[in-house]
Amino acid sequence: MNDDAFGRVLALGASGYCCTQIMVQLLLDVQGREAPDAMRAAGGLCRGFGLSEGACGILLGGCMAMGLCAAKGHDGEEPHAALEAMTTEFSEWFRERTAASGGVSCGAILGDAGNGGGGRPDFGKCHGLLLEAHARMFEVLAAYGVDPTLPREG
């Protein structure tokens, strides 16, 4: 595990960012840029859509970050041909990785499914998964020839 990513995840969590936002910010960090609009948008997907029953923010943030690298952003641009394959591969990995928890929902991972949506990030439980997902996301991008350090033009 990268010591920089380890410390950065802790710092972002301590600053009040959710898992979705952390996954997006880790990508923005390697691109050397800020994107407050992307971070705000990611904030709308925290804690399983605000319910611990929704998909984990780590999964959502990873797919959002991959979209920043490969999705269509304006009329004159086309998405990377393998965007769907990349997000599917990442999602399948995440599903397998979290199967022992009972699913990909925030609540299942935190062990509080069905508690009425109280699932808050628990960095004791989420920190390692964030780091694993960050590394896996970069592996998937590289496998499809996408350099995550280079923002899409335009």
Side-chain angles (χ1 to χ4, degrees), residues 3 12-13 29 52 64-65 69 74 83 85 89 101-102 104 110 121 123:
D3 286 340
L12 289 165
D29 285 352
S52 63
M64 285 183 71
C69 292
H74 55 79
L83 175 60
E89 185 173 327
S101 300
V104 300
L110 292 173
F123 287 100

Side-chain angles (χ1 to χ4, degrees), residues 72-154:
K72 179 179 180 132
H74 55 79
D75 287 348
E77 182 177 57
E78 292 299 322
H80 188 286
L83 175 60
E84 186 174 339
M86 289 187 281
T87 58
T88 297
E89 185 173 327
F90 178 74
S91 298
E92 288 173 351
W93 168 84
F94 194 84
R95 184 175 310 280
E96 290 172 14
R97 173 60 182 78
T98 60
S101 300
V104 300
S105 73
C106 186
I109 293 165
L110 292 173
D112 64 0
N115 74 352
R120 296 263 184 237
D122 176 340
F123 287 100
K125 294 180 180 179
C126 303
H127 187 262
L129 185 55
L130 274 160
L131 291 169
E132 288 177 50
H134 170 261
R136 182 64 185 144
M137 176 181 69
F138 278 65
E139 289 170 3
V140 171
L141 289 167
Y144 287 91
V146 176
D147 183 347
T149 67
L150 301 174
R152 289 205 79 178
E153 297 295 321

Side-chain angles (χ1 to χ4, degrees), residues 2-3 11 15 20 27 31 34-36 54-56 59 61 64 66 71 79 85 87 89 96 113 123 128 132 145:
N2 179 325
D3 286 340
S15 294
T20 314
L27 174 80
Q31 292 180 347
E34 294 181 20
C56 173
L59 172 59
M64 285 183 71
M66 294 174 105
T87 58
E89 185 173 327
E96 290 172 14
F123 287 100
E132 288 177 50

